[in-house]
Amino acid sequence: MNKIITRFPPSPTGYLHVGGARTALFNWLYARHTKGRFILRIEDTDVQRSTQASVDAIFEALKWLDIDWDEGPYFQTQRFPIYQEYIQKLLDSGHAYYCSCTPEEVDAMRKKAMETGGKPKYDGTCREKKLSKGENTVVRFKAPLMGTTVLEDVIKGNIVFQNSELDDFVIQRSDGVPTYNFVVVIDDIAMGVNTVIRGDDHVNNTPRQIQLYKALGAQLPVFGHVPMVLGNDRTRLSKRHGATSVTAYRDMGFLPDAFINYLVRLGWSHGDQEFFTREDLIEKFNLENIGRSAGVFDLEKLLALNADHIKAAPPAKIVPHLLPFLKEKGYEAEAGPYLEGVIKTLNARSKTLKEMADGAEFYFQENLIYDENAVKKFLTPAVLEPLSQLIAELEAIETFSEKALEAAFAKVLESAGLKFSKIAQPVRVALTGKTVSPGIFEIIEVLGKEQVLSRLKNALGFING
RNA sequence: GGUCCCAUCGUCUAGCGGCCUAGGACGUCGGCCUCUCACGCCGAAAACACGGGUUCGAGUCCCGUUGGGAUCACCA
């Protein structure tokens, strides 16, 4: 069995969007699963719209997703000599010809065909003229007029196209730059790509490409067209539906592993399994279980999956992803046991890293910020006595183990004749400034004796003052 | 409009002729747990688009209808 070689060929005309990320993922996963090779190729033949900023944005997104490549990145604009060679080959073998029709003329013939109820396509004016290269000539592929072209798609099955539906498409523009349908085939042949997984918006291009392979006498790759990702109104996902940029999801606080889990699961399944680690995906991903119908992007489910990944990941793995959110808030957090302890108290309560950073604020505030209403409601004279006692008890404890803490609380509650629920909120407000937080004992353990005592004493001041 | 694709709960899906009184997940609604908020646990409502065939038997195969999507460039 030959080694599987896949590729991801984004065009740098914008950031990496959700749909693109998914096809990148499918190709990458399939290559990793089969121990094959994954190639990154930048399709920048649209010189007008391609930008370096887009190239950088795509790299950045791929890096966040942790998708790596074995070969490339190749840039098509640096491969013109190769394309030129193949164009000449096609010209020489009679599979291509020069055409001097102007864009305006072609437009006109399309419009005319449309009016008379025909198919809008190039009418072959120059097909047999045997023109030679001229000032404004393009090179067109001489497509078969009759017969059929069959696309054997691994996920959609066989699709038959009538060749009469296709026209002689341009393979080299008048400025000498080759077009997409041509370079994609040449590169895939030259790079040995034998498995092409892409969005099904490319299905209608495929018969032209197949004809090119045939004209060149090259072997066809395995094609697999994956269904589109739709917005909640069932139209192609766009900005209207919310964020479409991959890095926007990073900035919202998603874990890359959760994001890829969601993206892959949207259109692929492995029985009833919903949660997949990256390793799981590599081990189990295949082409057979990719669905045929388009799927709607559902932020709620992504959120739920993100929460699951946050819960399941060891705190140390969360650290590098959380740090930027803490820094953004202005806190001097750093990797280490303290941060990991913080994460442990928050991972069951956070759907995103942003939420986690919000919930972690009190751990990092030099001067705790108190919620006014919380103070008014819970730091009342009634708790002055028990709180003072608690301070005394805690001061006597050497190390803050959960057991010792519980004993200290029990002692205070008993002598004051109070239930834990009576003192929990006051203590919570004293320690965090808020009425919502992780469990009291968890917080105390992480904060440590010094901080806990100082915050408790500070709270006493509120009651007295 | 031409061509092509698709069709199971609101959403993602399992199902590859009998195991389906159609399963799981998210979401929704109840309840339990509980120091707040969560987590967790238990339970409920919720789908085979429609019509014809084929077959002893169809969510599963075929045809049609309807609905949705994609694509028709010297863009990729």
Side-chain angles (χ1 to χ4, degrees), chain A residues 45-89:
Chain A
T45 53
D46 182 347
V47 190
Q48 304 300 322
R49 299 195 302 149
S50 296
T51 65
Q52 183 58 43
S54 296
V55 173
D56 295 341
I58 289 166
F59 285 165
E60 188 188 340
L62 252 18
K63 189 184 169 201
W64 178 64
L65 291 169
D66 207 5
I67 291 179
D68 56 350
W69 48 93
D70 307 304
E71 220 178 287
Y74 291 109
F75 289 83
Q76 292 185 320
T77 47
Q78 292 168 199
R79 297 166 60 79
F80 284 178
I82 297 171
Y83 308 137
Q84 200 49 246
E85 186 186 314
Y86 278 93
I87 284 172
Q88 197 51 245
K89 208 179 273 186

mmCIF file of all heavy atoms in Angstrom, chain A residues 45-89:
data_model
loop_
_atom_site.group_PDB
_atom_site.id
_atom_site.type_symbol
_atom_site.label_atom_id
_atom_site.label_comp_id
_atom_site.label_asym_id
_atom_site.label_seq_id
_atom_site.Cartn_x
_atom_site.Cartn_y
_atom_site.Cartn_z
ATOM 1 N N THR A 45 -2.135 32.308 -6.390
ATOM 2 C CA THR A 45 -2.101 32.731 -7.793
ATOM 3 C C THR A 45 -3.056 33.887 -8.087
ATOM 4 O O THR A 45 -3.030 34.450 -9.169
ATOM 5 C CB THR A 45 -2.443 31.558 -8.745
ATOM 6 O OG1 THR A 45 -3.681 30.984 -8.343
ATOM 7 C CG2 THR A 45 -1.350 30.514 -8.717
ATOM 8 N N ASP A 46 -3.919 34.203 -7.134
ATOM 9 C CA ASP A 46 -4.737 35.396 -7.317
ATOM 10 C C ASP A 46 -3.912 36.545 -6.732
ATOM 11 O O ASP A 46 -4.053 36.919 -5.573
ATOM 12 C CB ASP A 46 -6.061 35.269 -6.560
ATOM 13 C CG ASP A 46 -6.959 36.478 -6.786
ATOM 14 O OD1 ASP A 46 -6.456 37.498 -7.303
ATOM 15 O OD2 ASP A 46 -8.144 36.405 -6.440
ATOM 16 N N VAL A 47 -3.034 37.056 -7.573
ATOM 17 C CA VAL A 47 -2.072 38.057 -7.111
ATOM 18 C C VAL A 47 -2.745 39.306 -6.549
ATOM 19 O O VAL A 47 -2.233 39.958 -5.649
ATOM 20 C CB VAL A 47 -1.117 38.448 -8.268
ATOM 21 C CG1 VAL A 47 0.029 39.290 -7.742
ATOM 22 C CG2 VAL A 47 -0.583 37.185 -8.940
ATOM 23 N N GLN A 48 -3.917 39.632 -7.086
ATOM 24 C CA GLN A 48 -4.634 40.819 -6.634
ATOM 25 C C GLN A 48 -5.052 40.721 -5.167
ATOM 26 O O GLN A 48 -4.891 41.658 -4.399
ATOM 27 C CB GLN A 48 -5.901 41.031 -7.477
ATOM 28 C CG GLN A 48 -5.654 41.137 -8.961
ATOM 29 C CD GLN A 48 -4.751 42.300 -9.314
ATOM 30 O OE1 GLN A 48 -4.846 43.364 -8.703
ATOM 31 N NE2 GLN A 48 -3.845 42.089 -10.260
ATOM 32 N N ARG A 49 -5.600 39.589 -4.801
ATOM 33 C CA ARG A 49 -6.190 39.471 -3.471
ATOM 34 C C ARG A 49 -5.297 38.833 -2.403
ATOM 35 O O ARG A 49 -5.618 38.865 -1.219
ATOM 36 C CB ARG A 49 -7.504 38.691 -3.570
ATOM 37 C CG ARG A 49 -8.544 39.404 -4.468
ATOM 38 C CD ARG A 49 -9.919 38.825 -4.268
ATOM 39 N NE ARG A 49 -9.964 37.393 -4.553
ATOM 40 C CZ ARG A 49 -10.774 36.535 -3.940
ATOM 41 N NH1 ARG A 49 -11.588 36.953 -3.003
ATOM 42 N NH2 ARG A 49 -10.762 35.260 -4.268
ATOM 43 N N SER A 50 -4.219 38.195 -2.813
ATOM 44 C CA SER A 50 -3.362 37.532 -1.834
ATOM 45 C C SER A 50 -2.515 38.539 -1.055
ATOM 46 O O SER A 50 -1.991 39.483 -1.625
ATOM 47 C CB SER A 50 -2.428 36.547 -2.543
ATOM 48 O OG SER A 50 -3.175 35.532 -3.149
ATOM 49 N N THR A 51 -2.402 38.312 0.256
ATOM 50 C CA THR A 51 -1.590 39.223 1.069
ATOM 51 C C THR A 51 -0.715 38.447 2.045
ATOM 52 O O THR A 51 -1.044 37.324 2.433
ATOM 53 C CB THR A 51 -2.477 40.159 1.913
ATOM 54 O OG1 THR A 51 -3.216 39.370 2.871
ATOM 55 C CG2 THR A 51 -3.444 40.947 1.047
ATOM 56 N N GLN A 52 0.376 39.085 2.427
ATOM 57 C CA GLN A 52 1.275 38.473 3.401
ATOM 58 C C GLN A 52 0.577 38.377 4.759
ATOM 59 O O GLN A 52 0.756 37.427 5.509
ATOM 60 C CB GLN A 52 2.562 39.306 3.529
ATOM 61 C CG GLN A 52 3.598 38.721 4.476
ATOM 62 C CD GLN A 52 4.022 37.317 4.066
ATOM 63 O OE1 GLN A 52 4.245 37.032 2.892
ATOM 64 N NE2 GLN A 52 4.120 36.405 5.034
ATOM 65 N N ALA A 53 -0.252 39.366 5.061
ATOM 66 C CA ALA A 53 -0.962 39.365 6.344
ATOM 67 C C ALA A 53 -1.838 38.121 6.459
ATOM 68 O O ALA A 53 -1.941 37.512 7.518
ATOM 69 C CB ALA A 53 -1.822 40.624 6.459
ATOM 70 N N SER A 54 -2.459 37.735 5.334
ATOM 71 C CA SER A 54 -3.298 36.543 5.351
ATOM 72 C C SER A 54 -2.464 35.294 5.551
ATOM 73 O O SER A 54 -2.856 34.376 6.273
ATOM 74 C CB SER A 54 -4.074 36.424 4.037
ATOM 75 O OG SER A 54 -4.959 37.512 3.896
ATOM 76 N N VAL A 55 -1.300 35.263 4.910
ATOM 77 C CA VAL A 55 -0.406 34.120 5.076
ATOM 78 C C VAL A 55 -0.057 33.975 6.553
ATOM 79 O O VAL A 55 -0.148 32.895 7.135
ATOM 80 C CB VAL A 55 0.889 34.304 4.250
ATOM 81 C CG1 VAL A 55 1.885 33.191 4.579
ATOM 82 C CG2 VAL A 55 0.586 34.298 2.766
ATOM 83 N N ASP A 56 0.305 35.090 7.180
ATOM 84 C CA ASP A 56 0.661 35.063 8.597
ATOM 85 C C ASP A 56 -0.508 34.621 9.468
ATOM 86 O O ASP A 56 -0.332 33.857 10.411
ATOM 87 C CB ASP A 56 1.126 36.458 9.045
ATOM 88 C CG ASP A 56 2.422 36.871 8.352
ATOM 89 O OD1 ASP A 56 3.136 35.978 7.835
ATOM 90 O OD2 ASP A 56 2.719 38.083 8.304
ATOM 91 N N ALA A 57 -1.691 35.124 9.131
ATOM 92 C CA ALA A 57 -2.878 34.777 9.919
ATOM 93 C C ALA A 57 -3.165 33.280 9.832
ATOM 94 O O ALA A 57 -3.554 32.649 10.816
ATOM 95 C CB ALA A 57 -4.079 35.572 9.426
ATOM 96 N N ILE A 58 -2.954 32.711 8.658
ATOM 97 C CA ILE A 58 -3.207 31.286 8.470
ATOM 98 C C ILE A 58 -2.203 30.457 9.276
ATOM 99 O O ILE A 58 -2.571 29.495 9.954
ATOM 100 C CB ILE A 58 -3.148 30.922 6.971
ATOM 101 C CG1 ILE A 58 -4.368 31.507 6.264
ATOM 102 C CG2 ILE A 58 -3.096 29.411 6.784
ATOM 103 C CD1 ILE A 58 -4.285 31.511 4.753
ATOM 104 N N PHE A 59 -0.950 30.874 9.238
ATOM 105 C CA PHE A 59 0.064 30.165 10.030
ATOM 106 C C PHE A 59 -0.275 30.218 11.513
ATOM 107 O O PHE A 59 -0.154 29.233 12.234
ATOM 108 C CB PHE A 59 1.452 30.804 9.824
ATOM 109 C CG PHE A 59 2.078 30.475 8.496
ATOM 110 C CD1 PHE A 59 3.155 31.210 8.031
ATOM 111 C CD2 PHE A 59 1.598 29.432 7.720
ATOM 112 C CE1 PHE A 59 3.750 30.914 6.808
ATOM 113 C CE2 PHE A 59 2.173 29.126 6.490
ATOM 114 C CZ PHE A 59 3.258 29.878 6.034
ATOM 115 N N GLU A 60 -0.702 31.401 11.940
ATOM 116 C CA GLU A 60 -1.018 31.593 13.356
ATOM 117 C C GLU A 60 -2.154 30.672 13.792
ATOM 118 O O GLU A 60 -2.107 30.047 14.853
ATOM 119 C CB GLU A 60 -1.416 33.062 13.578
ATOM 120 C CG GLU A 60 -1.591 33.441 15.028
ATOM 121 C CD GLU A 60 -2.174 34.850 15.182
ATOM 122 O OE1 GLU A 60 -2.076 35.642 14.218
ATOM 123 O OE2 GLU A 60 -2.721 35.135 16.259
ATOM 124 N N ALA A 61 -3.177 30.585 12.944
ATOM 125 C CA ALA A 61 -4.324 29.736 13.271
ATOM 126 C C ALA A 61 -3.923 28.266 13.292
ATOM 127 O O ALA A 61 -4.320 27.510 14.189
ATOM 128 C CB ALA A 61 -5.439 29.962 12.256
ATOM 129 N N LEU A 62 -3.128 27.860 12.316
ATOM 130 C CA LEU A 62 -2.683 26.475 12.242
ATOM 131 C C LEU A 62 -1.835 26.123 13.463
ATOM 132 O O LEU A 62 -1.917 25.023 14.016
ATOM 133 C CB LEU A 62 -1.863 26.277 10.967
ATOM 134 C CG LEU A 62 -2.431 25.486 9.769
ATOM 135 C CD1 LEU A 62 -3.926 25.320 9.806
ATOM 136 C CD2 LEU A 62 -1.944 26.064 8.470
ATOM 137 N N LYS A 63 -1.052 27.088 13.878
ATOM 138 C CA LYS A 63 -0.198 26.870 15.045
ATOM 139 C C LYS A 63 -1.051 26.676 16.294
ATOM 140 O O LYS A 63 -0.781 25.808 17.120
ATOM 141 C CB LYS A 63 0.745 28.070 15.221
ATOM 142 C CG LYS A 63 1.801 27.818 16.267
ATOM 143 C CD LYS A 63 2.664 29.052 16.505
ATOM 144 C CE LYS A 63 3.532 28.836 17.746
ATOM 145 N NZ LYS A 63 3.994 30.100 18.321
ATOM 146 N N TRP A 64 -2.073 27.497 16.420
ATOM 147 C CA TRP A 64 -2.954 27.360 17.590
ATOM 148 C C TRP A 64 -3.650 25.997 17.588
ATOM 149 O O TRP A 64 -3.761 25.333 18.610
ATOM 150 C CB TRP A 64 -3.993 28.475 17.610
ATOM 151 C CG TRP A 64 -4.943 28.340 18.759
ATOM 152 C CD1 TRP A 64 -4.632 28.414 20.099
ATOM 153 C CD2 TRP A 64 -6.349 28.063 18.704
ATOM 154 N NE1 TRP A 64 -5.757 28.207 20.864
ATOM 155 C CE2 TRP A 64 -6.830 27.993 20.025
ATOM 156 C CE3 TRP A 64 -7.247 27.876 17.639
ATOM 157 C CZ2 TRP A 64 -8.164 27.736 20.333
ATOM 158 C CZ3 TRP A 64 -8.570 27.624 17.945
ATOM 159 C CH2 TRP A 64 -9.022 27.559 19.282
ATOM 160 N N LEU A 65 -4.098 25.585 16.403
ATOM 161 C CA LEU A 65 -4.779 24.296 16.300
ATOM 162 C C LEU A 65 -3.803 23.145 16.501
ATOM 163 O O LEU A 65 -4.193 22.008 16.684
ATOM 164 C CB LEU A 65 -5.436 24.158 14.923
ATOM 165 C CG LEU A 65 -6.622 25.078 14.650
ATOM 166 C CD1 LEU A 65 -7.003 25.033 13.178
ATOM 167 C CD2 LEU A 65 -7.818 24.677 15.510
ATOM 168 N N ASP A 66 -2.527 23.473 16.449
ATOM 169 C CA ASP A 66 -1.462 22.486 16.598
ATOM 170 C C ASP A 66 -1.478 21.490 15.437
ATOM 171 O O ASP A 66 -1.332 20.288 15.622
ATOM 172 C CB ASP A 66 -1.585 21.752 17.936
ATOM 173 C CG ASP A 66 -0.222 21.248 18.418
ATOM 174 O OD1 ASP A 66 0.782 21.549 17.756
ATOM 175 O OD2 ASP A 66 -0.179 20.533 19.429
ATOM 176 N N ILE A 67 -1.707 22.033 14.254
ATOM 177 C CA ILE A 67 -1.652 21.225 13.039
ATOM 178 C C ILE A 67 -0.290 21.487 12.406
ATOM 179 O O ILE A 67 0.018 22.621 12.042
ATOM 180 C CB ILE A 67 -2.767 21.638 12.061
ATOM 181 C CG1 ILE A 67 -4.126 21.225 12.623
ATOM 182 C CG2 ILE A 67 -2.542 21.014 10.685
ATOM 183 C CD1 ILE A 67 -5.302 21.616 11.739
ATOM 184 N N ASP A 68 0.522 20.477 12.315
ATOM 185 C CA ASP A 68 1.857 20.647 11.743
ATOM 186 C C ASP A 68 1.931 19.966 10.379
ATOM 187 O O ASP A 68 1.088 19.152 10.036
ATOM 188 C CB ASP A 68 2.918 20.073 12.681
ATOM 189 C CG ASP A 68 2.648 18.606 12.997
ATOM 190 O OD1 ASP A 68 1.557 18.103 12.644
ATOM 191 O OD2 ASP A 68 3.514 17.947 13.587
ATOM 192 N N TRP A 69 2.913 20.331 9.583
ATOM 193 C CA TRP A 69 3.004 19.752 8.242
ATOM 194 C C TRP A 69 4.394 19.170 8.005
ATOM 195 O O TRP A 69 5.377 19.578 8.611
ATOM 196 C CB TRP A 69 2.658 20.784 7.175
ATOM 197 C CG TRP A 69 3.356 22.099 7.336
ATOM 198 C CD1 TRP A 69 4.534 22.476 6.773
ATOM 199 C CD2 TRP A 69 2.913 23.224 8.112
ATOM 200 N NE1 TRP A 69 4.849 23.765 7.135
ATOM 201 C CE2 TRP A 69 3.883 24.243 7.962
ATOM 202 C CE3 TRP A 69 1.785 23.462 8.930
ATOM 203 C CZ2 TRP A 69 3.771 25.490 8.595
ATOM 204 C CZ3 TRP A 69 1.684 24.694 9.547
ATOM 205 C CH2 TRP A 69 2.663 25.694 9.373
ATOM 206 N N ASP A 70 4.420 18.164 7.133
ATOM 207 C CA ASP A 70 5.675 17.461 6.862
ATOM 208 C C ASP A 70 6.432 18.085 5.708
ATOM 209 O O ASP A 70 7.618 17.847 5.537
ATOM 210 C CB ASP A 70 5.379 15.993 6.516
ATOM 211 C CG ASP A 70 4.527 15.334 7.585
ATOM 212 O OD1 ASP A 70 4.942 15.342 8.749
ATOM 213 O OD2 ASP A 70 3.439 14.829 7.253
ATOM 214 N N GLU A 71 5.719 18.864 4.900
ATOM 215 C CA GLU A 71 6.332 19.417 3.706
ATOM 216 C C GLU A 71 5.725 20.785 3.418
ATOM 217 O O GLU A 71 4.536 20.986 3.612
ATOM 218 C CB GLU A 71 6.036 18.481 2.530
ATOM 219 C CG GLU A 71 7.179 18.268 1.565
ATOM 220 C CD GLU A 71 6.770 17.292 0.479
ATOM 221 O OE1 GLU A 71 6.674 16.084 0.770
ATOM 222 O OE2 GLU A 71 6.537 17.737 -0.644
ATOM 223 N N GLY A 72 6.541 21.697 2.953
ATOM 224 C CA GLY A 72 6.056 23.037 2.652
ATOM 225 C C GLY A 72 6.377 23.971 3.803
ATOM 226 O O GLY A 72 7.188 23.614 4.650
ATOM 227 N N PRO A 73 5.799 25.155 3.836
ATOM 228 C CA PRO A 73 4.770 25.603 2.908
ATOM 229 C C PRO A 73 5.328 25.949 1.530
ATOM 230 O O PRO A 73 6.353 26.605 1.418
ATOM 231 C CB PRO A 73 4.207 26.858 3.584
ATOM 232 C CG PRO A 73 5.337 27.376 4.398
ATOM 233 C CD PRO A 73 6.078 26.158 4.867
ATOM 234 N N TYR A 74 4.623 25.477 0.525
ATOM 235 C CA TYR A 74 4.969 25.833 -0.850
ATOM 236 C C TYR A 74 4.131 27.056 -1.209
ATOM 237 O O TYR A 74 3.018 27.213 -0.706
ATOM 238 C CB TYR A 74 4.584 24.704 -1.808
ATOM 239 C CG TYR A 74 5.412 23.464 -1.670
ATOM 240 C CD1 TYR A 74 4.870 22.305 -1.115
ATOM 241 C CD2 TYR A 74 6.743 23.434 -2.110
ATOM 242 C CE1 TYR A 74 5.627 21.141 -0.996
ATOM 243 C CE2 TYR A 74 7.512 22.275 -1.987
ATOM 244 C CZ TYR A 74 6.952 21.136 -1.427
ATOM 245 O OH TYR A 74 7.699 20.001 -1.316
ATOM 246 N N PHE A 75 4.678 27.878 -2.071
ATOM 247 C CA PHE A 75 3.924 29.038 -2.566
ATOM 248 C C PHE A 75 3.832 28.895 -4.064
ATOM 249 O O PHE A 75 4.850 28.790 -4.744
ATOM 250 C CB PHE A 75 4.648 30.345 -2.197
ATOM 251 C CG PHE A 75 4.575 30.658 -0.735
ATOM 252 C CD1 PHE A 75 5.462 30.086 0.170
ATOM 253 C CD2 PHE A 75 3.600 31.521 -0.252
ATOM 254 C CE1 PHE A 75 5.386 30.367 1.537
ATOM 255 C CE2 PHE A 75 3.512 31.806 1.104
ATOM 256 C CZ PHE A 75 4.411 31.222 2.005
ATOM 257 N N GLN A 76 2.633 28.899 -4.581
ATOM 258 C CA GLN A 76 2.463 28.675 -6.016
ATOM 259 C C GLN A 76 3.106 29.759 -6.870
ATOM 260 O O GLN A 76 3.550 29.479 -7.978
ATOM 261 C CB GLN A 76 0.977 28.528 -6.338
ATOM 262 C CG GLN A 76 0.404 27.253 -5.745
ATOM 263 C CD GLN A 76 -1.029 27.005 -6.146
ATOM 264 O OE1 GLN A 76 -1.826 27.934 -6.203
ATOM 265 N NE2 GLN A 76 -1.363 25.756 -6.407
ATOM 266 N N THR A 77 3.165 30.971 -6.344
ATOM 267 C CA THR A 77 3.777 32.033 -7.153
ATOM 268 C C THR A 77 5.269 31.790 -7.365
ATOM 269 O O THR A 77 5.891 32.438 -8.204
ATOM 270 C CB THR A 77 3.589 33.412 -6.489
ATOM 271 O OG1 THR A 77 3.917 33.320 -5.099
ATOM 272 C CG2 THR A 77 2.156 33.892 -6.629
ATOM 273 N N GLN A 78 5.842 30.867 -6.592
ATOM 274 C CA GLN A 78 7.262 30.570 -6.770
ATOM 275 C C GLN A 78 7.476 29.349 -7.664
ATOM 276 O O GLN A 78 8.589 28.855 -7.804
ATOM 277 C CB GLN A 78 7.918 30.307 -5.407
ATOM 278 C CG GLN A 78 7.979 31.548 -4.540
ATOM 279 C CD GLN A 78 8.364 31.250 -3.100
ATOM 280 O OE1 GLN A 78 8.137 32.052 -2.212
ATOM 281 N NE2 GLN A 78 8.955 30.066 -2.876
ATOM 282 N N ARG A 79 6.385 28.858 -8.222
ATOM 283 C CA ARG A 79 6.483 27.621 -8.989
ATOM 284 C C ARG A 79 6.082 27.803 -10.455
ATOM 285 O O ARG A 79 5.786 26.831 -11.150
ATOM 286 C CB ARG A 79 5.607 26.549 -8.333
ATOM 287 C CG ARG A 79 6.068 26.206 -6.913
ATOM 288 C CD ARG A 79 5.026 25.404 -6.136
ATOM 289 N NE ARG A 79 4.684 24.141 -6.753
ATOM 290 C CZ ARG A 79 5.436 23.039 -6.673
ATOM 291 N NH1 ARG A 79 6.559 23.059 -6.004
ATOM 292 N NH2 ARG A 79 5.063 21.929 -7.267
ATOM 293 N N PHE A 80 6.097 29.041 -10.919
ATOM 294 C CA PHE A 80 5.687 29.300 -12.296
ATOM 295 C C PHE A 80 6.435 28.495 -13.353
ATOM 296 O O PHE A 80 5.830 28.048 -14.333
ATOM 297 C CB PHE A 80 5.769 30.800 -12.602
ATOM 298 C CG PHE A 80 4.635 31.586 -11.998
ATOM 299 C CD1 PHE A 80 4.560 32.960 -12.124
ATOM 300 C CD2 PHE A 80 3.627 30.914 -11.304
ATOM 301 C CE1 PHE A 80 3.498 33.675 -11.561
ATOM 302 C CE2 PHE A 80 2.563 31.618 -10.730
ATOM 303 C CZ PHE A 80 2.505 32.998 -10.866
ATOM 304 N N PRO A 81 7.758 28.297 -13.205
ATOM 305 C CA PRO A 81 8.467 27.512 -14.230
ATOM 306 C C PRO A 81 7.879 26.113 -14.392
ATOM 307 O O PRO A 81 7.779 25.594 -15.512
ATOM 308 C CB PRO A 81 9.895 27.442 -13.686
ATOM 309 C CG PRO A 81 10.028 28.654 -12.821
ATOM 310 C CD PRO A 81 8.679 28.834 -12.189
ATOM 311 N N ILE A 82 7.460 25.520 -13.285
ATOM 312 C CA ILE A 82 6.887 24.178 -13.357
ATOM 313 C C ILE A 82 5.586 24.199 -14.149
ATOM 314 O O ILE A 82 5.349 23.362 -15.031
ATOM 315 C CB ILE A 82 6.602 23.644 -11.935
ATOM 316 C CG1 ILE A 82 7.907 23.525 -11.153
ATOM 317 C CG2 ILE A 82 5.895 22.288 -12.010
ATOM 318 C CD1 ILE A 82 7.738 23.215 -9.681
ATOM 319 N N TYR A 83 4.739 25.207 -13.830
ATOM 320 C CA TYR A 83 3.454 25.293 -14.524
ATOM 321 C C TYR A 83 3.660 25.536 -16.019
ATOM 322 O O TYR A 83 2.967 24.993 -16.860
ATOM 323 C CB TYR A 83 2.594 26.412 -13.921
ATOM 324 C CG TYR A 83 2.438 26.313 -12.423
ATOM 325 C CD1 TYR A 83 2.535 27.422 -11.606
ATOM 326 C CD2 TYR A 83 2.208 25.065 -11.813
ATOM 327 C CE1 TYR A 83 2.391 27.332 -10.227
ATOM 328 C CE2 TYR A 83 2.082 24.960 -10.437
ATOM 329 C CZ TYR A 83 2.173 26.090 -9.648
ATOM 330 O OH TYR A 83 2.050 25.998 -8.296
ATOM 331 N N GLN A 84 4.648 26.398 -16.303
ATOM 332 C CA GLN A 84 4.941 26.739 -17.688
ATOM 333 C C GLN A 84 5.273 25.489 -18.497
ATOM 334 O O GLN A 84 4.797 25.291 -19.619
ATOM 335 C CB GLN A 84 6.147 27.701 -17.720
ATOM 336 C CG GLN A 84 6.252 28.485 -18.991
ATOM 337 C CD GLN A 84 4.938 29.130 -19.374
ATOM 338 O OE1 GLN A 84 4.343 28.776 -20.380
ATOM 339 N NE2 GLN A 84 4.451 30.050 -18.551
ATOM 340 N N GLU A 85 6.047 24.653 -17.876
ATOM 341 C CA GLU A 85 6.471 23.409 -18.512
ATOM 342 C C GLU A 85 5.269 22.540 -18.880
ATOM 343 O O GLU A 85 5.158 21.995 -19.978
ATOM 344 C CB GLU A 85 7.361 22.674 -17.499
ATOM 345 C CG GLU A 85 8.042 21.427 -17.978
ATOM 346 C CD GLU A 85 8.758 20.770 -16.802
ATOM 347 O OE1 GLU A 85 9.452 21.503 -16.034
ATOM 348 O OE2 GLU A 85 8.578 19.546 -16.614
ATOM 349 N N TYR A 86 4.315 22.441 -17.932
ATOM 350 C CA TYR A 86 3.129 21.617 -18.173
ATOM 351 C C TYR A 86 2.194 22.253 -19.205
ATOM 352 O O TYR A 86 1.534 21.556 -19.981
ATOM 353 C CB TYR A 86 2.376 21.367 -16.867
ATOM 354 C CG TYR A 86 2.977 20.234 -16.057
ATOM 355 C CD1 TYR A 86 3.931 20.488 -15.079
ATOM 356 C CD2 TYR A 86 2.592 18.902 -16.272
ATOM 357 C CE1 TYR A 86 4.483 19.455 -14.328
ATOM 358 C CE2 TYR A 86 3.137 17.859 -15.535
ATOM 359 C CZ TYR A 86 4.083 18.148 -14.562
ATOM 360 O OH TYR A 86 4.629 17.123 -13.832
ATOM 361 N N ILE A 87 2.138 23.583 -19.195
ATOM 362 C CA ILE A 87 1.286 24.251 -20.176
ATOM 363 C C ILE A 87 1.826 23.970 -21.574
ATOM 364 O O ILE A 87 1.075 23.658 -22.509
ATOM 365 C CB ILE A 87 1.232 25.774 -19.902
ATOM 366 C CG1 ILE A 87 0.316 26.024 -18.709
ATOM 367 C CG2 ILE A 87 0.709 26.518 -21.131
ATOM 368 C CD1 ILE A 87 0.305 27.441 -18.196
ATOM 369 N N GLN A 88 3.118 24.032 -21.682
ATOM 370 C CA GLN A 88 3.750 23.749 -22.972
ATOM 371 C C GLN A 88 3.455 22.315 -23.397
ATOM 372 O O GLN A 88 3.165 22.037 -24.563
ATOM 373 C CB GLN A 88 5.271 23.970 -22.846
ATOM 374 C CG GLN A 88 5.975 24.115 -24.178
ATOM 375 C CD GLN A 88 5.307 25.148 -25.087
ATOM 376 O OE1 GLN A 88 4.785 24.828 -26.141
ATOM 377 N NE2 GLN A 88 5.293 26.406 -24.656
ATOM 378 N N LYS A 89 3.518 21.433 -22.442
ATOM 379 C CA LYS A 89 3.254 20.025 -22.707
ATOM 380 C C LYS A 89 1.842 19.851 -23.284
ATOM 381 O O LYS A 89 1.627 19.139 -24.269
ATOM 382 C CB LYS A 89 3.395 19.239 -21.389
ATOM 383 C CG LYS A 89 3.823 17.788 -21.568
ATOM 384 C CD LYS A 89 3.968 17.098 -20.223
ATOM 385 C CE LYS A 89 5.359 17.284 -19.613
ATOM 386 N NZ LYS A 89 5.541 16.496 -18.369
#
